[in-house]
Amino acid sequence: MTHVGPRSAHIAGLPYACYAEPGQLGGARLVQVAPLEGDPADYVAIEAAGGRFAVTMTCAANALGLVPETDYARADPATSRLALQPLADAIGVDVETAARQVLAAGAGPVLAVVEKMIDDYRLPDESAVLIGGGGGAASVTPFVGASRSTTGGSRSTARSSARSASPSP
């Protein structure tokens, strides 16, 4: 895996794999796509019995059980794991590892900005609270907060809060 994004499922015109019915994901295989004309065809999606689906950070967060039940971005973790299986197979890891790698790749640029802002503004560790909005907030914000609290150079008291802002993730 080289990176995640920057194109969303919506921009690519694809449904999220994690919201599919499990039967729609039967026979899923990884395919390369160009989300928009002019984009390189180095993005991946899955093709399955129910059509073509985007595999997203939201799928990864749901596969790991990280999205709260009350969040709009919540999907069935078992279906989300089915959605990530072709990617996991392609990179030679288990689904949980693939999901963590997807989240780490997508959250990395966000974490870099958060760390720079905290350093630039000389914010005390205990005041760092991350608040995310939008459909992807349930996958990005908590992961960035957890990354800050578990990496050597990050503050140990970071907290995060996220809530999807709309019923459409």
PDB file of all heavy atoms in Angstrom, residues 10-40:
ATOM      1  N   HIS A  10     -17.623   9.005  -2.891  1.00  0.00           N
ATOM      2  CA  HIS A  10     -18.603   9.858  -3.570  1.00  0.00           C
ATOM      3  C   HIS A  10     -18.039  10.424  -4.873  1.00  0.00           C
ATOM      4  O   HIS A  10     -18.712  10.419  -5.902  1.00  0.00           O
ATOM      5  CB  HIS A  10     -19.042  11.012  -2.667  1.00  0.00           C
ATOM      6  CG  HIS A  10     -19.756  10.554  -1.441  1.00  0.00           C
ATOM      7  ND1 HIS A  10     -20.976   9.941  -1.471  1.00  0.00           N
ATOM      8  CD2 HIS A  10     -19.398  10.620  -0.140  1.00  0.00           C
ATOM      9  CE1 HIS A  10     -21.356   9.650  -0.248  1.00  0.00           C
ATOM     10  NE2 HIS A  10     -20.414  10.049   0.572  1.00  0.00           N
ATOM     11  N   ILE A  11     -16.809  10.912  -4.825  1.00  0.00           N
ATOM     12  CA  ILE A  11     -16.183  11.481  -6.019  1.00  0.00           C
ATOM     13  C   ILE A  11     -16.028  10.408  -7.092  1.00  0.00           C
ATOM     14  O   ILE A  11     -16.230  10.655  -8.279  1.00  0.00           O
ATOM     15  CB  ILE A  11     -14.832  12.129  -5.676  1.00  0.00           C
ATOM     16  CG1 ILE A  11     -15.068  13.396  -4.839  1.00  0.00           C
ATOM     17  CG2 ILE A  11     -14.036  12.458  -6.935  1.00  0.00           C
ATOM     18  CD1 ILE A  11     -13.807  14.001  -4.256  1.00  0.00           C
ATOM     19  N   ALA A  12     -15.686   9.207  -6.667  1.00  0.00           N
ATOM     20  CA  ALA A  12     -15.519   8.102  -7.613  1.00  0.00           C
ATOM     21  C   ALA A  12     -16.860   7.552  -8.106  1.00  0.00           C
ATOM     22  O   ALA A  12     -16.899   6.751  -9.033  1.00  0.00           O
ATOM     23  CB  ALA A  12     -14.707   6.983  -6.969  1.00  0.00           C
ATOM     24  N   GLY A  13     -17.944   7.982  -7.482  1.00  0.00           N
ATOM     25  CA  GLY A  13     -19.266   7.500  -7.874  1.00  0.00           C
ATOM     26  C   GLY A  13     -19.508   6.051  -7.468  1.00  0.00           C
ATOM     27  O   GLY A  13     -20.295   5.345  -8.100  1.00  0.00           O
ATOM     28  N   LEU A  14     -18.833   5.620  -6.399  1.00  0.00           N
ATOM     29  CA  LEU A  14     -18.959   4.235  -5.947  1.00  0.00           C
ATOM     30  C   LEU A  14     -19.617   4.176  -4.576  1.00  0.00           C
ATOM     31  O   LEU A  14     -19.366   5.029  -3.724  1.00  0.00           O
ATOM     32  CB  LEU A  14     -17.575   3.577  -5.848  1.00  0.00           C
ATOM     33  CG  LEU A  14     -16.800   3.428  -7.144  1.00  0.00           C
ATOM     34  CD1 LEU A  14     -15.403   2.894  -6.867  1.00  0.00           C
ATOM     35  CD2 LEU A  14     -17.543   2.508  -8.096  1.00  0.00           C
ATOM     36  N   PRO A  15     -20.412   3.146  -4.331  1.00  0.00           N
ATOM     37  CA  PRO A  15     -20.932   2.951  -2.982  1.00  0.00           C
ATOM     38  C   PRO A  15     -19.831   2.417  -2.064  1.00  0.00           C
ATOM     39  O   PRO A  15     -18.878   1.787  -2.513  1.00  0.00           O
ATOM     40  CB  PRO A  15     -22.039   1.903  -3.180  1.00  0.00           C
ATOM     41  CG  PRO A  15     -21.651   1.168  -4.410  1.00  0.00           C
ATOM     42  CD  PRO A  15     -20.896   2.143  -5.275  1.00  0.00           C
ATOM     43  N   TYR A  16     -19.975   2.692  -0.794  1.00  0.00           N
ATOM     44  CA  TYR A  16     -19.041   2.177   0.205  1.00  0.00           C
ATOM     45  C   TYR A  16     -19.249   0.677   0.357  1.00  0.00           C
ATOM     46  O   TYR A  16     -20.378   0.220   0.551  1.00  0.00           O
ATOM     47  CB  TYR A  16     -19.308   2.815   1.567  1.00  0.00           C
ATOM     48  CG  TYR A  16     -18.873   4.239   1.722  1.00  0.00           C
ATOM     49  CD1 TYR A  16     -19.452   5.266   0.984  1.00  0.00           C
ATOM     50  CD2 TYR A  16     -17.900   4.579   2.655  1.00  0.00           C
ATOM     51  CE1 TYR A  16     -19.077   6.582   1.153  1.00  0.00           C
ATOM     52  CE2 TYR A  16     -17.513   5.889   2.836  1.00  0.00           C
ATOM     53  CZ  TYR A  16     -18.098   6.887   2.085  1.00  0.00           C
ATOM     54  OH  TYR A  16     -17.727   8.190   2.265  1.00  0.00           O
ATOM     55  N   ALA A  17     -18.178  -0.074   0.331  1.00  0.00           N
ATOM     56  CA  ALA A  17     -18.269  -1.531   0.473  1.00  0.00           C
ATOM     57  C   ALA A  17     -18.838  -1.931   1.830  1.00  0.00           C
ATOM     58  O   ALA A  17     -19.591  -2.902   1.927  1.00  0.00           O
ATOM     59  CB  ALA A  17     -16.896  -2.169   0.261  1.00  0.00           C
ATOM     60  N   CYS A  18     -18.531  -1.188   2.865  1.00  0.00           N
ATOM     61  CA  CYS A  18     -18.967  -1.575   4.209  1.00  0.00           C
ATOM     62  C   CYS A  18     -20.484  -1.468   4.399  1.00  0.00           C
ATOM     63  O   CYS A  18     -21.026  -2.067   5.314  1.00  0.00           O
ATOM     64  CB  CYS A  18     -18.225  -0.792   5.281  1.00  0.00           C
ATOM     65  SG  CYS A  18     -18.386   0.998   5.183  1.00  0.00           S
ATOM     66  N   TYR A  19     -21.181  -0.715   3.525  1.00  0.00           N
ATOM     67  CA  TYR A  19     -22.626  -0.586   3.637  1.00  0.00           C
ATOM     68  C   TYR A  19     -23.375  -1.539   2.717  1.00  0.00           C
ATOM     69  O   TYR A  19     -24.608  -1.517   2.666  1.00  0.00           O
ATOM     70  CB  TYR A  19     -23.067   0.852   3.362  1.00  0.00           C
ATOM     71  CG  TYR A  19     -22.452   1.839   4.332  1.00  0.00           C
ATOM     72  CD1 TYR A  19     -21.692   2.900   3.870  1.00  0.00           C
ATOM     73  CD2 TYR A  19     -22.606   1.684   5.700  1.00  0.00           C
ATOM     74  CE1 TYR A  19     -21.117   3.797   4.748  1.00  0.00           C
ATOM     75  CE2 TYR A  19     -22.027   2.570   6.592  1.00  0.00           C
ATOM     76  CZ  TYR A  19     -21.287   3.632   6.112  1.00  0.00           C
ATOM     77  OH  TYR A  19     -20.707   4.505   6.979  1.00  0.00           O
ATOM     78  N   ALA A  20     -22.667  -2.361   1.995  1.00  0.00           N
ATOM     79  CA  ALA A  20     -23.297  -3.344   1.110  1.00  0.00           C
ATOM     80  C   ALA A  20     -23.926  -4.454   1.953  1.00  0.00           C
ATOM     81  O   ALA A  20     -23.579  -4.651   3.123  1.00  0.00           O
ATOM     82  CB  ALA A  20     -22.252  -3.942   0.169  1.00  0.00           C
ATOM     83  N   GLU A  21     -24.843  -5.167   1.350  1.00  0.00           N
ATOM     84  CA  GLU A  21     -25.354  -6.383   1.976  1.00  0.00           C
ATOM     85  C   GLU A  21     -24.259  -7.431   1.827  1.00  0.00           C
ATOM     86  O   GLU A  21     -23.577  -7.471   0.783  1.00  0.00           O
ATOM     87  CB  GLU A  21     -26.630  -6.859   1.274  1.00  0.00           C
ATOM     88  CG  GLU A  21     -27.809  -5.928   1.462  1.00  0.00           C
ATOM     89  CD  GLU A  21     -28.233  -5.814   2.920  1.00  0.00           C
ATOM     90  OE1 GLU A  21     -28.197  -6.833   3.632  1.00  0.00           O
ATOM     91  OE2 GLU A  21     -28.592  -4.702   3.337  1.00  0.00           O
ATOM     92  N   PRO A  22     -24.042  -8.279   2.824  1.00  0.00           N
ATOM     93  CA  PRO A  22     -22.959  -9.261   2.735  1.00  0.00           C
ATOM     94  C   PRO A  22     -22.971 -10.077   1.439  1.00  0.00           C
ATOM     95  O   PRO A  22     -21.920 -10.311   0.838  1.00  0.00           O
ATOM     96  CB  PRO A  22     -23.167 -10.152   3.961  1.00  0.00           C
ATOM     97  CG  PRO A  22     -23.864  -9.264   4.944  1.00  0.00           C
ATOM     98  CD  PRO A  22     -24.747  -8.368   4.113  1.00  0.00           C
ATOM     99  N   GLY A  23     -24.149 -10.458   0.954  1.00  0.00           N
ATOM    100  CA  GLY A  23     -24.240 -11.235  -0.278  1.00  0.00           C
ATOM    101  C   GLY A  23     -23.747 -10.479  -1.503  1.00  0.00           C
ATOM    102  O   GLY A  23     -23.298 -11.085  -2.480  1.00  0.00           O
ATOM    103  N   GLN A  24     -23.818  -9.159  -1.460  1.00  0.00           N
ATOM    104  CA  GLN A  24     -23.329  -8.357  -2.579  1.00  0.00           C
ATOM    105  C   GLN A  24     -21.811  -8.421  -2.703  1.00  0.00           C
ATOM    106  O   GLN A  24     -21.258  -8.108  -3.752  1.00  0.00           O
ATOM    107  CB  GLN A  24     -23.743  -6.888  -2.414  1.00  0.00           C
ATOM    108  CG  GLN A  24     -25.220  -6.643  -2.548  1.00  0.00           C
ATOM    109  CD  GLN A  24     -25.525  -5.170  -2.369  1.00  0.00           C
ATOM    110  OE1 GLN A  24     -25.338  -4.608  -1.300  1.00  0.00           O
ATOM    111  NE2 GLN A  24     -25.989  -4.555  -3.449  1.00  0.00           N
ATOM    112  N   LEU A  25     -21.124  -8.817  -1.628  1.00  0.00           N
ATOM    113  CA  LEU A  25     -19.658  -8.852  -1.631  1.00  0.00           C
ATOM    114  C   LEU A  25     -19.111 -10.222  -2.004  1.00  0.00           C
ATOM    115  O   LEU A  25     -17.894 -10.432  -1.995  1.00  0.00           O
ATOM    116  CB  LEU A  25     -19.113  -8.402  -0.269  1.00  0.00           C
ATOM    117  CG  LEU A  25     -19.499  -6.983   0.144  1.00  0.00           C
ATOM    118  CD1 LEU A  25     -18.910  -6.638   1.508  1.00  0.00           C
ATOM    119  CD2 LEU A  25     -19.083  -5.967  -0.901  1.00  0.00           C
ATOM    120  N   GLY A  26     -19.984 -11.155  -2.353  1.00  0.00           N
ATOM    121  CA  GLY A  26     -19.547 -12.494  -2.753  1.00  0.00           C
ATOM    122  C   GLY A  26     -18.625 -12.440  -3.957  1.00  0.00           C
ATOM    123  O   GLY A  26     -18.861 -11.705  -4.907  1.00  0.00           O
ATOM    124  N   GLY A  27     -17.551 -13.203  -3.888  1.00  0.00           N
ATOM    125  CA  GLY A  27     -16.585 -13.278  -4.982  1.00  0.00           C
ATOM    126  C   GLY A  27     -15.798 -12.007  -5.200  1.00  0.00           C
ATOM    127  O   GLY A  27     -15.262 -11.785  -6.289  1.00  0.00           O
ATOM    128  N   ALA A  28     -15.718 -11.166  -4.190  1.00  0.00           N
ATOM    129  CA  ALA A  28     -15.039  -9.873  -4.331  1.00  0.00           C
ATOM    130  C   ALA A  28     -13.577 -10.053  -4.727  1.00  0.00           C
ATOM    131  O   ALA A  28     -12.874 -10.919  -4.223  1.00  0.00           O
ATOM    132  CB  ALA A  28     -15.125  -9.087  -3.026  1.00  0.00           C
ATOM    133  N   ARG A  29     -13.179  -9.197  -5.675  1.00  0.00           N
ATOM    134  CA  ARG A  29     -11.774  -9.165  -6.089  1.00  0.00           C
ATOM    135  C   ARG A  29     -11.346  -7.718  -6.215  1.00  0.00           C
ATOM    136  O   ARG A  29     -12.159  -6.837  -6.524  1.00  0.00           O
ATOM    137  CB  ARG A  29     -11.567  -9.928  -7.386  1.00  0.00           C
ATOM    138  CG  ARG A  29     -12.280  -9.356  -8.580  1.00  0.00           C
ATOM    139  CD  ARG A  29     -12.072 -10.194  -9.847  1.00  0.00           C
ATOM    140  NE  ARG A  29     -12.769  -9.630 -10.968  1.00  0.00           N
ATOM    141  CZ  ARG A  29     -12.312  -8.644 -11.734  1.00  0.00           C
ATOM    142  NH1 ARG A  29     -11.112  -8.148 -11.502  1.00  0.00           N
ATOM    143  NH2 ARG A  29     -13.027  -8.160 -12.721  1.00  0.00           N
ATOM    144  N   LEU A  30     -10.083  -7.485  -5.983  1.00  0.00           N
ATOM    145  CA  LEU A  30      -9.532  -6.143  -6.052  1.00  0.00           C
ATOM    146  C   LEU A  30      -9.335  -5.724  -7.503  1.00  0.00           C
ATOM    147  O   LEU A  30      -8.867  -6.514  -8.324  1.00  0.00           O
ATOM    148  CB  LEU A  30      -8.177  -6.143  -5.328  1.00  0.00           C
ATOM    149  CG  LEU A  30      -7.715  -4.858  -4.674  1.00  0.00           C
ATOM    150  CD1 LEU A  30      -8.701  -4.384  -3.623  1.00  0.00           C
ATOM    151  CD2 LEU A  30      -6.352  -5.064  -4.041  1.00  0.00           C
ATOM    152  N   VAL A  31      -9.722  -4.490  -7.832  1.00  0.00           N
ATOM    153  CA  VAL A  31      -9.519  -3.938  -9.177  1.00  0.00           C
ATOM    154  C   VAL A  31      -8.921  -2.540  -9.038  1.00  0.00           C
ATOM    155  O   VAL A  31      -9.123  -1.860  -8.035  1.00  0.00           O
ATOM    156  CB  VAL A  31     -10.834  -3.867  -9.984  1.00  0.00           C
ATOM    157  CG1 VAL A  31     -11.375  -5.258 -10.269  1.00  0.00           C
ATOM    158  CG2 VAL A  31     -11.880  -3.011  -9.294  1.00  0.00           C
ATOM    159  N   GLN A  32      -8.178  -2.132 -10.055  1.00  0.00           N
ATOM    160  CA  GLN A  32      -7.627  -0.783 -10.074  1.00  0.00           C
ATOM    161  C   GLN A  32      -8.576   0.122 -10.833  1.00  0.00           C
ATOM    162  O   GLN A  32      -9.150  -0.279 -11.855  1.00  0.00           O
ATOM    163  CB  GLN A  32      -6.257  -0.771 -10.731  1.00  0.00           C
ATOM    164  CG  GLN A  32      -5.204  -1.434  -9.851  1.00  0.00           C
ATOM    165  CD  GLN A  32      -3.813  -1.254 -10.417  1.00  0.00           C
ATOM    166  OE1 GLN A  32      -3.443  -1.956 -11.344  1.00  0.00           O
ATOM    167  NE2 GLN A  32      -3.092  -0.309  -9.857  1.00  0.00           N
ATOM    168  N   VAL A  33      -8.757   1.341 -10.326  1.00  0.00           N
ATOM    169  CA  VAL A  33      -9.671   2.289 -10.939  1.00  0.00           C
ATOM    170  C   VAL A  33      -9.053   3.682 -10.976  1.00  0.00           C
ATOM    171  O   VAL A  33      -8.150   3.991 -10.197  1.00  0.00           O
ATOM    172  CB  VAL A  33     -11.025   2.348 -10.188  1.00  0.00           C
ATOM    173  CG1 VAL A  33     -11.727   1.004 -10.203  1.00  0.00           C
ATOM    174  CG2 VAL A  33     -10.854   2.830  -8.762  1.00  0.00           C
ATOM    175  N   ALA A  34      -9.566   4.508 -11.875  1.00  0.00           N
ATOM    176  CA  ALA A  34      -9.277   5.943 -11.907  1.00  0.00           C
ATOM    177  C   ALA A  34     -10.577   6.629 -11.487  1.00  0.00           C
ATOM    178  O   ALA A  34     -11.552   6.601 -12.241  1.00  0.00           O
ATOM    179  CB  ALA A  34      -8.857   6.380 -13.302  1.00  0.00           C
ATOM    180  N   PRO A  35     -10.647   7.205 -10.284  1.00  0.00           N
ATOM    181  CA  PRO A  35     -11.910   7.773  -9.799  1.00  0.00           C
ATOM    182  C   PRO A  35     -12.514   8.826 -10.730  1.00  0.00           C
ATOM    183  O   PRO A  35     -13.711   8.857 -10.937  1.00  0.00           O
ATOM    184  CB  PRO A  35     -11.544   8.398  -8.459  1.00  0.00           C
ATOM    185  CG  PRO A  35     -10.313   7.671  -8.033  1.00  0.00           C
ATOM    186  CD  PRO A  35      -9.594   7.320  -9.292  1.00  0.00           C
ATOM    187  N   LEU A  36     -11.686   9.693 -11.275  1.00  0.00           N
ATOM    188  CA  LEU A  36     -12.138  10.717 -12.205  1.00  0.00           C
ATOM    189  C   LEU A  36     -11.283  10.653 -13.459  1.00  0.00           C
ATOM    190  O   LEU A  36     -10.114  10.235 -13.405  1.00  0.00           O
ATOM    191  CB  LEU A  36     -11.995  12.111 -11.588  1.00  0.00           C
ATOM    192  CG  LEU A  36     -12.879  12.438 -10.382  1.00  0.00           C
ATOM    193  CD1 LEU A  36     -12.525  13.818  -9.835  1.00  0.00           C
ATOM    194  CD2 LEU A  36     -14.355  12.377 -10.753  1.00  0.00           C
ATOM    195  N   GLU A  37     -11.841  11.093 -14.556  1.00  0.00           N
ATOM    196  CA  GLU A  37     -11.064  11.139 -15.791  1.00  0.00           C
ATOM    197  C   GLU A  37      -9.830  12.003 -15.550  1.00  0.00           C
ATOM    198  O   GLU A  37      -9.910  13.088 -14.972  1.00  0.00           O
ATOM    199  CB  GLU A  37     -11.901  11.712 -16.924  1.00  0.00           C
ATOM    200  CG  GLU A  37     -11.230  11.547 -18.259  1.00  0.00           C
ATOM    201  CD  GLU A  37     -12.159  11.853 -19.419  1.00  0.00           C
ATOM    202  OE1 GLU A  37     -13.374  11.601 -19.290  1.00  0.00           O
ATOM    203  OE2 GLU A  37     -11.652  12.322 -20.438  1.00  0.00           O
ATOM    204  N   GLY A  38      -8.682  11.488 -15.955  1.00  0.00           N
ATOM    205  CA  GLY A  38      -7.427  12.198 -15.743  1.00  0.00           C
ATOM    206  C   GLY A  38      -6.680  11.732 -14.503  1.00  0.00           C
ATOM    207  O   GLY A  38      -5.497  12.024 -14.344  1.00  0.00           O
ATOM    208  N   ASP A  39      -7.360  11.036 -13.594  1.00  0.00           N
ATOM    209  CA  ASP A  39      -6.682  10.460 -12.428  1.00  0.00           C
ATOM    210  C   ASP A  39      -5.908   9.232 -12.874  1.00  0.00           C
ATOM    211  O   ASP A  39      -6.326   8.539 -13.811  1.00  0.00           O
ATOM    212  CB  ASP A  39      -7.690  10.007 -11.361  1.00  0.00           C
ATOM    213  CG  ASP A  39      -8.275  11.140 -10.552  1.00  0.00           C
ATOM    214  OD1 ASP A  39      -7.729  12.255 -10.595  1.00  0.00           O
ATOM    215  OD2 ASP A  39      -9.288  10.905  -9.869  1.00  0.00           O
ATOM    216  N   PRO A  40      -4.813   8.927 -12.191  1.00  0.00           N
ATOM    217  CA  PRO A  40      -4.140   7.668 -12.503  1.00  0.00           C
ATOM    218  C   PRO A  40      -5.003   6.494 -12.054  1.00  0.00           C
ATOM    219  O   PRO A  40      -5.781   6.611 -11.110  1.00  0.00           O
ATOM    220  CB  PRO A  40      -2.846   7.743 -11.683  1.00  0.00           C
ATOM    221  CG  PRO A  40      -3.136   8.708 -10.585  1.00  0.00           C
ATOM    222  CD  PRO A  40      -4.156   9.678 -11.134  1.00  0.00           C
TER     223      PRO A  40
END
